[in-house]
Amino acid sequence: VHVKMADEAVCVGPAPTSKSYLNMDAIMEVIKKTRAQAVSLNESICCSFMPSLSLQASEGVTFIGPDTHAIQAMGDKIESKLLAKNAKVNTIPGFDGVVKDADEAVRIAREIGYPVMIKASAGGGGKGMRIAWDDEETREGFRFSSQEAASSFGDDRLLIEKFIDNPRHIEIQVLADKHGNALWLNERECSIQRRNQKVVEEAPSTFLDPETRRAMGEQAVALAKAVKYSSAGTVEFLVDSSKNFYFLEMNTRLQVEHPVTECITGLDLVQEMIRVAKGYPLRHKQADIPINGWAVECRVYAEDPYKSFGLPSIGKLSQYQEPLHVPSVRVDSGIQQGSDISIYYDPMISKLITYGSNRAEALKRMEEALDNYVIRGVAHNISLLREVIVHPRFVQGDISTKFLPEVYPDGFKGHKLTDLERRELLATAASLYVAEQLRSQRFLGTPRIPIAKSKRSTWDLSVHLGDGIYPVAVSKDGSSFSVEVDGTKLNVTSEWNLASPLLSVTIDGTQRTIQRLSRNASGDTSIQFLGTVYKLQILTKVAAELSKYMPEKAAEDTSSILRSPMPGAVVAVSVKPGDMVSEGQEICVIEAMKMQNSMIAAKTGKV
């Protein structure tokens, strides 16, 4: 999409980032070739640009973003922590030096006291991070974190600090110019996370009072001024249940979740970054920064949320439709229908943002937007996002970074239907089936065989959903259907536009937006209802009675096979043919979307 939008585009190399977006020579070549006046770059490459900064003067190129000394200081977690301490910013207790090896990591972890967090010094985005609760986990965490750090950032240095159990992750947006002015633009609540990566963000936070907000904002600005920061940046804090806050790290870039801040302040952060780069002073004073309304962002990922809250999925987007017809919705995406989601980059499809005058309104719009989002061809996490935003704990604001494992201790299983919702789904599926039967009798709006009398008005069906088989009686009444399920009658109305990916259905006065994803001649159909995809089988009474004679396909025994749960690259193999392995032993390591995953044997046996 960015290439389509640009007036001029130059390919900087093949897909792996080390050969393209992090290739300094290729980027410098493009700058010269296009005679660019300003360049926006990420932190990793700005640091590698250090030797070439003389070009900034000779080539007349301005970098949009902070100066490299600020990026280097804040990009290095060890140096940034020391700077934060000197700027009187609250910091987490821990070891401020570089950890040499696994033995030293264990010694330091024992001194600090378990649990500890092992982090890549140059890291970010949840990569190169491990929590360790004992010596063994510290050794393993040291190995994986250093490998991930080396492959993601080209820097395998690690640090160790105390792990604050059950905190909130709240960050402050800062904006500074080259004239010594700096502002804090309120906070963002980013506590809903999986694998240390954010999933749902909102602004403002339900947790902060004005005093805590000001204290955090003032410390964030103090840190920005200490490193002579100029541009937009984010200072991240961990906040405990008593509202004590501790500096986590500073992100010297525009964050993924910046739109929620733009919604509540009315500032265009990208425009402000370009103005600052050009040398203009900030146009606003701290007293001008408002909190107007509430904004929520959901990160829509090409991931399977039923596996570890989201294992990456790859493929082509065969159908893609953003919910831009829903009021107060913003979608920031870099893809379109037909785009490929590959193993080389983060599996994010888009950022879905909704805005309201208050939190309840913003969340209601988010619910509607998620129901109206059409994504086909790859697995996606809309079911998880929708469940999070309607969960009573989330609605009350009772959240922490442990929210997902606490609410779903056995993993995410999708929406659990109430009896009423189950009846609604069965009635909708049965009505869809009948609408389809009636459509197939017509040809361009006229009956296929004019002499055939098609006056049928009732259908007795058998619907298989989950572990249950339900008798459903459908009768047609004009454009609506009267459906009897479990002895209860429901009235189902819709325009029944079966060619549309979205169907608006009203069931006894309740409006639902559903999506039918697939169907076949055996009566199998998949329907997305309340965010979750349900598999149903709809048969006539006669077909249902005969179906018991159909043989079931036996499930394959996969316990003696190791099958990667996601696409990726094999970076290490720990066994060879003929080895005896025990259950739980590591067989290989798969790197997917810059994260390393240990694959283990499902049973004891011989390779």
Side-chain angles (χ1 to χ4, degrees):
V1 171
H2 62 290
V3 171
K4 273 181 79 173
M5 292 171 79
D7 298 319
E8 199 177 343
V10 182
C11 180
V12 289
T17 49
S18 57
K19 295 177 181 171
S20 51
Y21 299 110
L22 296 181
N23 181 347
M24 191 185 86
D25 296 336
I27 303 265
M28 289 310 299
E29 195 53 46
V30 174
I31 292 171
K32 285 180 192 168
K33 187 176 171 183
T34 57
R35 297 202 294 280
Q37 295 169 304
V39 186
S40 176
L41 299 163
N42 80 3
E43 307 106 311
S44 309
I45 198 154
C46 282
C47 288
S48 60
F49 259 91
M50 292 298 281
S52 308
L53 274 182
S54 54
L55 279 162
Q56 188 166 349
S58 61
E59 305 284 334
V61 179
T62 300
F63 292 101
I64 297 172
D67 293 332
T68 40
H69 71 83
I71 294 173
Q72 258 198 333
M74 289 295 112
D76 186 316
K77 286 190 170 63
I78 296 166
E79 193 181 337
S80 66
K81 200 170 169 185
L82 294 170
L83 278 163
K85 270 185 183 169
N86 294 337
K88 308 273 190 293
V89 177
N90 307 348
T91 56
I92 299 169
F95 178 69
D96 296 331
V98 179
V99 185
K100 292 187 193 69
D101 53 37
D103 290 336
E104 191 183 27
V106 169
R107 184 180 58 74
I108 293 164
R110 284 175 180 168
E111 282 170 16
I112 297 169
Y114 287 109
V116 296
M117 173 74 91
I118 302 164
K119 297 200 303 199
S121 177
K127 296 174 178 73
M129 284 171 120
R130 289 286 190 285
I131 298 159
W133 295 81
D134 55 40
D135 293 357
E136 191 185 338
E137 287 185 9
T138 301
R139 288 181 193 284
E140 193 176 84
F142 181 88
R143 175 165 76 103
F144 280 127
S145 291
S146 54
Q147 285 169 2
E148 276 175 20
S151 73
S152 293
F153 317 111
D155 181 346
D156 64 358
R157 292 175 307 140
L158 301 177
L159 71 148
I160 298 181
E161 59 192 21
K162 180 77 178 164
F163 174 61
I164 309 286
D165 206 11
N166 232 24
R168 283 174 179 256
H169 184 134
I170 300 176
E171 60 193 29
I172 300 285
Q173 175 71 56
V174 293
L175 183 64
D177 63 20
K178 297 179 192 297
H179 305 276
N181 305 306
L183 303 170
W184 48 275
L185 310 181
N186 304 310
E187 79 281 4
R188 292 188 288 260
E189 171 74 74
C190 307
S191 296
I192 307 295
Q193 303 183 359
R194 50 106 186 87
R195 297 194 299 277
N196 299 312
Q197 288 182 313
K198 301 159 192 167
V199 182
V200 179
E201 301 105 345
E202 60 183 312
S205 166
T206 56
F207 190 61
L208 295 192
D209 52 56
E211 291 72 34
T212 312
R213 177 177 295 121
R214 187 182 306 109
M216 290 173 74
E218 285 170 356
Q219 285 199 15
V221 163
L223 181 61
K225 286 184 171 177
V227 290
K228 299 186 171 59
Y229 195 85
S230 63
S231 193
T234 300
V235 181
E236 300 193 348
F237 293 96
L238 287 182
V239 185
D240 69 18
S241 52
S242 309
K243 293 186 183 165
N244 298 310
F245 57 91
Y246 305 96
F247 169 71
L248 188 62
E249 63 183 354
M250 183 172 190
N251 284 306
T252 54
R253 60 169 185 268
L254 192 66
Q255 291 274 84
V256 167
E257 58 274 18
H258 75 272
V260 291
T261 299
E262 294 186 332
C263 288
I264 66 161
T265 60
L267 267 67
D268 182 332
L269 292 179
V270 176
Q271 184 188 15
E272 296 300 330
M273 287 175 75
I274 296 170
R275 281 180 54 85
V276 167
K278 183 75 177 140
Y280 292 120
L282 296 180
R283 296 180 284 182
H284 306 88
K285 298 274 180 282
Q286 191 61 56
D288 304 335
I289 306 303
I291 296 183
N292 289 329
W294 212 285
V296 181
E297 173 180 290
C298 283
R299 297 192 184 195
V300 180
Y301 280 103
E303 288 183 337
D304 182 350
Y306 299 95
K307 294 177 182 171
S308 307
F309 300 114
L311 285 187
S313 163
I314 60 167
K316 190 182 284 290
L317 285 163
S318 55
Q319 198 169 5
Y320 182 73
Q321 192 176 302
E322 294 172 350
L324 296 170
H325 58 284
V326 179
S328 300
V329 165
R330 167 176 167 178
V331 184
D332 288 12
S333 70
I335 47 91
Q336 60 196 356
Q337 192 161 300
S339 289
D340 279 311
I341 305 291
S342 76
I343 63 168
Y344 296 107
Y345 308 113
D346 194 273
M348 190 187 289
I349 293 172
S350 74
K351 306 181 295 189
L352 177 64
I353 304 103
T354 57
Y355 175 76
S357 56
N358 55 43
R359 189 169 186 258
E361 194 178 296
L363 289 175
K364 193 75 202 143
R365 284 185 178 148
M366 181 60 77
E367 207 179 315
E368 192 183 344
L370 288 166
D371 282 342
N372 282 273
Y373 208 143
V374 178
I375 302 168
R376 310 275 166 87
V378 293
H380 56 74
N381 67 334
I382 280 178
S383 53
L384 175 65
L385 296 171
R386 198 185 185 285
E387 282 303 286
V388 168
I389 62 155
V390 300
H391 195 279
R393 263 188 63 179
F394 183 83
V395 172
Q396 288 158 17
D398 172 21
I399 58 174
S400 75
T401 54
K402 290 259 188 76
F403 179 88
L404 289 177
E406 280 176 0
V407 170
Y408 308 107
D410 303 320
F412 179 66
K413 303 280 191 270
H415 180 70
K416 201 166 185 295
L417 293 168
T418 62
D419 286 345
L420 173 62
E421 289 166 352
R422 179 177 51 79
R423 287 195 292 271
E424 286 181 358
L425 175 57
L426 292 167
T428 304
S431 301
L432 254 175
Y433 174 85
V434 172
E436 193 115 54
Q437 296 298 311
L438 293 171
R439 183 180 73 163
S440 65
Q441 292 171 7
R442 305 181 76 79
F443 181 73
L444 287 179
T446 59
R448 288 187 170 195
I449 308 170
I451 53 168
K453 299 222 174 344
S454 168
K455 288 291 177 198
R456 186 175 177 191
S457 60
T458 59
W459 290 261
D460 286 323
L461 305 173
S462 170
V463 184
H464 189 172
L465 169 65
D467 298 328
I469 296 174
Y470 306 90
V472 178
V474 183
S475 54
K476 192 173 183 336
D477 181 15
S479 65
S480 63
F481 294 101
S482 175
V483 186
E484 191 175 325
V485 186
D486 295 346
T488 307
K489 278 204 163 153
L490 295 98
N491 186 266
V492 185
T493 57
S494 174
E495 289 181 3
W496 304 114
N497 177 3
L498 303 179
S500 168
L502 294 167
L503 268 172
S504 178
V505 180
T506 305
I507 310 146
D508 280 354
T510 304
Q511 191 277 332
R512 303 278 192 206
T513 300
I514 66 156
Q515 298 183 37
R516 188 176 56 177
L517 307 182
S518 67
R519 65 187 174 92
N520 65 18
S522 309
D524 299 319
T525 186
S526 295
I527 293 175
Q528 187 174 311
F529 177 75
L530 301 174
T532 295
V533 177
Y534 295 94
K535 289 183 165 58
L536 304 97
Q537 187 181 39
I538 306 164
L539 299 171
T540 60
K541 236 179 180 172
V542 177
E545 281 161 15
L546 294 171
S547 69
K548 60 175 173 277
Y549 300 111
M550 296 294 283
E552 288 277 321
K553 187 180 176 185
E556 179 190 9
D557 174 23
T558 56
S559 64
S560 57
I561 302 169
L562 183 65
R563 195 169 276 166
S564 176
M566 68 202 128
V570 178
V571 293
V573 179
S574 315
V575 294
K576 59 186 187 298
D579 285 2
M580 288 301 295
V581 294
S582 50
E583 186 181 335
Q585 186 177 330
E586 183 184 289
I587 304 294
C588 65
V589 177
I590 303 279
E591 185 170 75
M593 314 288 184
K594 297 182 182 171
M595 300 288 279
Q596 296 212 349
N597 307 275
S598 176
M599 301 286 121
I600 57 170
K603 67 175 190 184
T604 300
K606 189 179 189 178
V607 179

